[in-house]
Amino acid sequence: MKILVINSGSSSIKYRLFDMTAKTVLASGLVEQIGEQQSRLIHQTRNDRGDMAESVKTEAVADHRAGFERIGAALTESGALTDPRELSAIGHRVVHGGEEFRNPTLINPKVIDTIRRLSPLAPLHNPANLLGIEVAMQSAPQVPQVAVFDTAFHQSLPQKAYRYAIPQDFYETHQVRRYGFHGTSHSYVARQAAKMLDRPLDRLNLITLHLGNGASASAVKGGKSIDTSMGMTPLEGLIMGTRSGDIDPAIIFYLKKKTGLAGDEIETLLNKHSGLKGICGANDMRAVEKQAQEGDRRAQLAIEMVCYRIKKYIGAYYAVLGRLDALVFTAGIGEKSPLIRAGCCRGMAHLGIEVDSEKNNRKGKEAFDIQSENSGVRILVIPTKEEYEIAKQTIGCIQNRFESESAP
Ligand code: AMP
C-alpha cells in the first residue's frame, strides 16, 4: 500500500512516499524556490543496497503545478512509482482546520472551500497548502486525497483552555480562540510513549514538548490534548527560532506609538525577527549553543530564556494534569540537544523530574529514556515522524470511508 505525503508551502513542496505494508520510505524530497529562476529539486530514493541516495537538480520551476509534475517524474524515473494509480491515497498536511475539522478528511470541493474560508486564520499556510491540494487533485484525479490538519489533535481542548478572556462576540463571530498546532507530532509521540512505557495510552498523563524551529508544549491526558502552548496562531507560547512566543499584548500598542511601526510590521517583527534570533542574532540552536560555548553572553541568555519558558509550561501542565507519567522531548532540538533537555528539567527533582546526565548525552536515531533512577517521572526522547503519522491517518481515513460505503 503506497501513500504519498505532501507538505506544500508558499515556495516549496516537500514529499515522502511510503510503502505502508513494509513500513518503509520509498522516496522523499522537496522542490524549493518555486517561481524563481533557480529552483532546486532534491530527491532521495533507495539504491540497490537499500540505502537512500540523493540527487539534486537545479532548474526553473515556474509554479506549483510544474513542481508537482517534477515530483511525479522523479518518482517514476527513480522506479519508486510506476504509475500514479499505484497510490492508495495522497495525504496533505494542512495547517489550519479551525473548528470544522477534528479528523483527517477526504478532500472534495466542499472541503477545499472550507479550507479556503479558514485561510484568514493561517494566511501564510492554508493558501499554500491548498495550492498543493489543487495541483495534486488535477494531476492524480483517480487517487483519493486526504487532508490531515495540524490543529485537529487539539480540538479536544476544553473550553476553559481554548477561550481567550476577551468579549465572547470575537469568538463567535471571528473564531478567536486557541487552536494549537504540531498536532500530528504531539499525537504520534504520545502513542510512541505509551508503547515505550508498555501502558495503555488512555491511562497516561503526558507532557509532550515539540522543540524544533517552531516549538510547542502539550498536556496529553488519556491520549487527548487538554492544553497546548500555541494559540490562535503558531506565535504564542514557547520561545522559538524567530518567534517571540508569549509576550504582553500591550507591547504591540506601545511599539506602535513609540516607533510608528505599522501593525503588519510588528507582526513580521514578532514572527521573523524575534525568539532566538531577536535575543542573540542566530535562529539555529546549533549556532546558538556554539556561540554560548564561546562565551557570548547574549547566546547564553537566549538558552536560559528558552529553558526557563519551557520549564514554566512543564510546571503549568503538571498542575493541570495532576499526575505526570512521562515528559517527552521531540523535534530537532528536543531530539538532539542534551543541553536544552537538561536545562528544562534542572531543579525539578522535588517534582519527580530528574535527568541522568550520562543517558542524556546519548545520541541515537531510536527513542531512548534519560531519567535518573530517582526520577518518578519517565523522561523520553522520541524522534517525531510527522509524515509517517500523516500517512497513517490518511489510511485510517480512506479505510473508514470504504468501510462506511460498503456498510449495509
Ligand atoms: P526542526 O524544526 O524539528 O527541524 O528543528 C530544527 C532545530 O533543531 C534548529 O534550531 C536546529 O538548530 C536544531 N538542532 C538540530 N540538530 C541539533 C543539535 N545536534 N543540537 C542542537 N540543536 C539542533
Side-chain angles (χ1 to χ4, degrees):
M1 183 178 239
K2 289 184 182 178
I3 302 282
L4 180 64
V5 173
I6 298 286
N7 183 355
S8 171
S10 55
S11 64
S12 70
I13 308 175
K14 291 187 191 140
Y15 60 96
R16 192 164 285 222
L17 177 66
F18 293 94
D19 179 338
M20 296 302 282
T21 317
K23 293 193 176 156
T24 53
V25 177
L26 297 171
S28 69
L30 83 156
V31 188
E32 59 184 356
Q33 289 153 312
I34 294 175
E36 292 179 28
Q37 299 242 312
Q38 295 284 318
S39 316
R40 287 205 320 158
L41 170 62
I42 303 168
H43 181 71
Q44 294 184 323
T45 194
R46 294 212 176 269
N47 61 20
D48 298 340
R49 293 194 305 279
D51 305 323
M52 289 303 251
E54 183 173 289
S55 66
V56 181
K57 268 189 201 164
T58 307
E59 59 190 10
V61 177
D63 52 22
H64 280 64
R65 184 175 322 284
F68 202 78
E69 278 164 15
R70 298 291 202 295
I71 293 170
L75 289 172
T76 43
E77 279 163 22
S78 63
L81 200 66
T82 34
D83 189 288
R85 277 170 295 196
E86 265 182 81
L87 290 172
S88 299
I90 299 178
H92 293 269
R93 177 185 182 211
V94 180
V95 166
H96 219 302
E99 290 188 331
E100 279 77 356
F101 298 106
R102 301 180 76 92
N103 294 300
T105 304
L106 192 70
I107 300 173
N108 58 31
K110 196 164 156 241
V111 170
I112 291 180
D113 282 348
T114 312
I115 296 173
R116 183 167 295 118
R117 196 161 46 70
L118 292 168
S119 287
L121 290 171
L124 299 178
H125 295 104
N126 274 29
N129 301 154
L130 270 177
L131 266 177
I133 289 176
E134 283 172 335
V135 296
M137 301 249 319
Q138 281 157 12
S139 307
Q142 68 285 21
V143 180
Q145 314 227 4
V146 173
V148 178
F149 298 91
D150 266 22
T151 47
F153 180 59
H154 304 297
Q155 277 297 298
S156 47
L157 258 59
Q159 192 155 173
K160 65 185 174 193
Y162 74 67
R163 284 285 298 278
Y164 292 113
I166 62 171
Q168 172 140 344
D169 184 43
F170 290 91
Y171 166 57
E172 285 166 357
T173 313
H174 299 291
Q175 299 83 47
V176 176
R177 54 158 285 178
R178 177 182 309 286
Y179 291 96
F181 299 86
H182 294 139
T184 48
S185 179
H186 288 291
S187 73
Y188 172 78
V189 297
R191 276 210 321 278
Q192 293 305 111
K195 281 190 197 159
M196 275 179 87
L197 302 180
D198 197 18
R199 288 175 56 190
L201 182 57
D202 60 10
R203 305 240 180 94
L204 286 178
N205 286 356
L206 306 169
I207 296 174
T208 50
L209 299 167
H210 177 107
L211 309 178
N213 229 332
S216 64
S218 277
V220 182
K221 193 177 188 66
K224 292 194 168 27
S225 174
I226 60 163
D227 206 348
T228 192
S229 59
M230 282 181 166
M232 185 178 94
T233 75
L235 182 56
E236 194 181 343
L238 306 180
I239 295 173
M240 305 174 223
T242 61
R243 284 174 242 163
S244 63
D246 298 335
I247 60 164
D248 177 349
I251 292 171
I252 296 165
F253 317 116
Y254 176 80
L255 284 180
K256 258 186 156 173
K257 281 193 205 129
K258 269 285 188 194
T259 64
L261 284 172
D264 51 359
E265 288 173 313
I266 298 176
E267 195 176 2
T268 305
L269 175 86
L270 296 177
N271 274 295
K272 302 254 164 89
H273 303 292
S274 298
L276 290 173
K277 189 177 174 194
I279 305 165
C280 72
N283 67 308
D284 187 293
M285 187 54 90
R286 284 165 290 202
V288 178
E289 288 189 7
K290 188 161 173 285
Q291 279 176 222
Q293 253 171 12
E294 289 164 359
D296 181 338
R297 270 302 299 147
R298 295 198 313 162
Q300 289 166 357
L301 176 64
I303 290 171
E304 279 174 36
M305 287 172 69
V306 162
C307 293
Y308 182 67
R309 180 78 55 88
I310 296 168
K311 192 170 170 178
K312 286 210 293 190
Y313 271 92
I314 295 173
Y317 290 167
Y318 201 150
V320 162
L321 289 163
R323 183 196 81 234
L324 181 61
D325 296 303
L327 187 61
V328 183
F329 286 92
T330 193
I333 299 168
E335 291 166 28
K336 297 201 185 101
S337 175
L339 181 79
I340 299 295
R341 291 193 299 254
C344 304
C345 298
R346 193 161 296 128
M348 290 209 276
H350 62 294
L351 293 174
I353 298 175
E354 194 177 66
V355 166
D356 176 306
S357 54
E358 201 173 309
K359 286 185 186 170
N360 187 33
N361 282 317
R362 257 183 60 180
K363 289 195 176 93
K365 287 196 170 155
E366 303 301 318
F368 54 98
D369 54 15
I370 60 168
Q371 73 284 339
S372 73
E373 276 181 15
N374 299 326
S375 184
V377 174
R378 294 282 296 270
I379 310 174
L380 312 176
V381 178
I382 303 182
T384 193
K385 292 189 180 162
E386 287 173 282
E387 291 93 351
Y388 181 68
E389 177 69 11
I390 292 173
K392 271 192 78 166
Q393 294 194 14
T394 298
I395 292 184
C397 176
I398 56 167
Q399 284 178 342
N400 273 342
R401 170 199 168 208
F402 291 130
E403 272 161 25
S404 59
E405 278 180 358
S406 60

